[in-house]
Amino acid sequence: MKYNSITEYYKQTFGGRVYKLALDIGATCPNRDGSKGTGGCIYCSGAGSGDYATVFTQLDCAKSKLKDKKCGKYIAYFQSFSNTYMSVFKLKDRVKEVLQDSEICGISIATRPDCITSDMLEYLTQLNNATHLVVELGLQSVSDKTLKVIGRGHTFEQFKECFDELKANNIKVCVHIMDGLPYETESDMLKTAQIVSSMKPHSVKIHCTYVPFGTKLHEMYESGEYKPLEMDEYIVVLAKQLCILDKEIYIERLTGDGDRKTLVAPKWTLHKRYFLNMLNKHLSKNY
């Protein structure tokens, strides 16, 4: 089975290979600053909350890591925390800095559905007309029960309202999904894929749940209350989700890049290439 890779979309849209450069623009999150909570979601390690470096410095650093790859175009990825959870003026300044780089061909902005005000939506609509824009919206699960367990601080209905507003303004949305969240069954995970597919986002990111050191999820793992997915379990669920998702939806990610220094489990996620090879073998054999 062949899924619709974002790599092909980039080639069609920009005429070649494009890499995303992850940036920290000094954002925070209502789940961390006290508005809705102080510890973040139960799997949030706080990574990315260090001293803010200038966008120019981060761009140069990120590009240097890709110097051996043949690439002349990049997407600036505002990754850390909720990047619309700031004033419109501050976000405008960060965007202005990024777009001064002639090699930047677009911007991806990661955020939460409860962090886009009417003023921010108006600005994002303007930005969408000025450059290639994707808003990456964290969902994780369509189950309100699960969202409460993981401490998201919003409901699926709130997510849906924000998603619909972005789509109504022709803004491309990438939906984030997490498999293997506490107490979720395979049926729950497939339901998330079914509902997300019916919404027809531009793209989807999927990865299994990680257990970072020092988080509430780490405590649940140590006590035996939580058990992460094994690789073969994740592959089975993921393959079914890929079959469910509308073939016009681009797949941006099937596994993440956990921090080796803080990852407690599952350790198999550190072997990304091996995982992808096993997934492809499973897809070839069964689909």
Side-chain angles (χ1 to χ4, degrees), residues 63 98 150 152 178 266:
K63 286 181 185 180
V98 161
I150 64 177
R152 282 295 292 177
M178 290 177 68

Side-chain angles (χ1 to χ4, degrees), residues 266-284:
K267 293 292 188 181
W268 61 260
T269 59
L270 296 173
H271 308 289
K272 189 172 182 178
R273 182 167 295 182
Y274 178 72
F275 161 74
L276 291 173
N277 286 337
M278 295 302 292
L279 171 64
N280 288 329
K281 285 182 180 179
H282 179 81
L283 291 173
S284 298

Side-chain angles (χ1 to χ4, degrees), residues 151-169:
R152 282 295 292 177
H154 65 76
T155 64
F156 173 67
E157 185 59 34
Q158 287 174 305
F159 172 90
K160 183 69 164 52
E161 288 175 3
C162 179
F163 177 90
D164 288 343
E165 286 182 336
L166 289 166
K167 281 199 73 176
N169 285 274

Side-chain angles (χ1 to χ4, degrees), residues 114-130:
D114 53 353
C115 293
I116 299 181
T117 62
S118 57
D119 288 346
M120 184 61 74
L121 178 62
E122 182 179 349
Y123 170 62
L124 292 175
T125 303
Q126 294 170 2
L127 181 59
N128 188 52
N129 293 326

Side-chain angles (χ1 to χ4, degrees), residues 2-282:
K2 185 176 175 60
Y3 50 85
N4 206 8
S5 169
I6 196 67
T7 301
E8 293 305 312
Y9 170 78
Y10 288 151
K11 288 180 180 178
Q12 295 166 13
T13 304
F14 300 109
R17 188 84 177 181
V18 175
Y19 287 92
K20 294 177 77 171
L21 304 178
L23 304 174
D24 180 345
I25 63 168
T28 183
C29 172
N31 241 6
R32 299 193 67 83
D33 71 355
S35 298
K36 291 191 173 181
T38 55
C41 300
I42 63 171
Y43 45 75
C44 184
S45 65
S49 60
D51 294 335
Y52 170 73
T54 69
V55 166
F56 301 116
T57 300
Q58 291 183 67
L59 286 173
D60 288 342
C61 181
K63 286 181 185 180
S64 69
K65 295 177 181 178
L66 297 170
K67 62 183 179 181
D68 294 330
K69 301 182 183 292
K70 294 181 179 179
C71 177
K73 293 182 180 179
Y74 304 94
I75 287 177
Y77 178 26
F78 296 175
Q79 181 185 42
S80 298
F81 301 131
S82 304
N83 293 273
T84 59
Y85 190 54
M86 60 176 63
S87 72
V88 171
F89 300 105
K90 184 176 179 180
L91 183 58
K92 278 184 178 181
D93 286 343
R94 298 293 184 257
V95 168
K96 185 177 179 180
E97 287 179 295
V98 161
L99 293 181
Q100 289 180 41
D101 188 324
S102 61
E103 293 180 318
I104 298 297
C105 61
I107 295 176
S108 285
I109 300 177
T111 192
R112 290 164 52 96
D114 53 353
C115 293
I116 299 181
T117 62
S118 57
D119 288 346
M120 184 61 74
L121 178 62
E122 182 179 349
Y123 170 62
L124 292 175
T125 303
Q126 294 170 2
L127 181 59
N128 188 52
N129 293 326
T131 189
H132 183 277
L133 174 67
V134 176
V135 172
E136 301 199 11
L137 211 55
L139 170 61
Q140 322 319 350
S141 172
V142 299
S143 165
D144 283 341
K145 181 179 178 181
T146 298
L147 295 179
K148 186 174 182 179
V149 167
I150 64 177
R152 282 295 292 177
H154 65 76
T155 64
F156 173 67
E157 185 59 34
Q158 287 174 305
F159 172 90
K160 183 69 164 52
E161 288 175 3
C162 179
F163 177 90
D164 288 343
E165 286 182 336
L166 289 166
K167 281 199 73 176
N169 285 274
N170 297 314
I171 296 171
K172 300 175 186 66
V173 182
C174 175
V175 177
H176 290 204
I177 296 172
M178 290 177 68
D179 288 335
L181 290 165
Y183 316 123
E184 285 219 327
T185 64
E186 179 180 299
S187 177
D188 293 323
M189 293 177 247
L190 298 184
K191 182 179 179 180
T192 291
Q194 289 166 348
I195 292 178
V196 168
S197 181
S198 70
M199 294 165 65
K200 298 191 184 304
H202 172 263
S203 50
V204 167
K205 280 185 174 181
I206 311 173
H207 74 76
C208 70
T209 302
Y210 301 138
V211 181
F213 181 83
T215 60
K216 183 176 179 181
L217 191 60
H218 183 198
E219 294 176 7
M220 293 171 67
Y221 173 76
E222 290 293 333
S223 69
E225 186 179 356
Y226 174 70
K227 183 179 181 296
L229 292 175
E230 298 292 344
M231 184 174 70
D232 58 343
E233 293 176 311
Y234 179 52
I235 285 175
V236 169
V237 172
L238 181 58
K240 291 178 180 180
Q241 288 176 320
L242 289 174
C243 289
I244 289 170
L245 289 169
D246 191 289
K247 295 303 177 281
E248 292 187 1
I249 298 172
Y250 294 99
I251 306 299
E252 282 215 32
R253 179 182 67 192
L254 297 173
T255 184
D257 296 300
D259 187 342
R260 289 178 177 272
K261 296 178 181 177
T262 61
L263 180 69
V264 176
K267 293 292 188 181
W268 61 260
T269 59
L270 296 173
H271 308 289
K272 189 172 182 178
R273 182 167 295 182
Y274 178 72
F275 161 74
L276 291 173
N277 286 337
M278 295 302 292
L279 171 64
N280 288 329
K281 285 182 180 179
H282 179 81

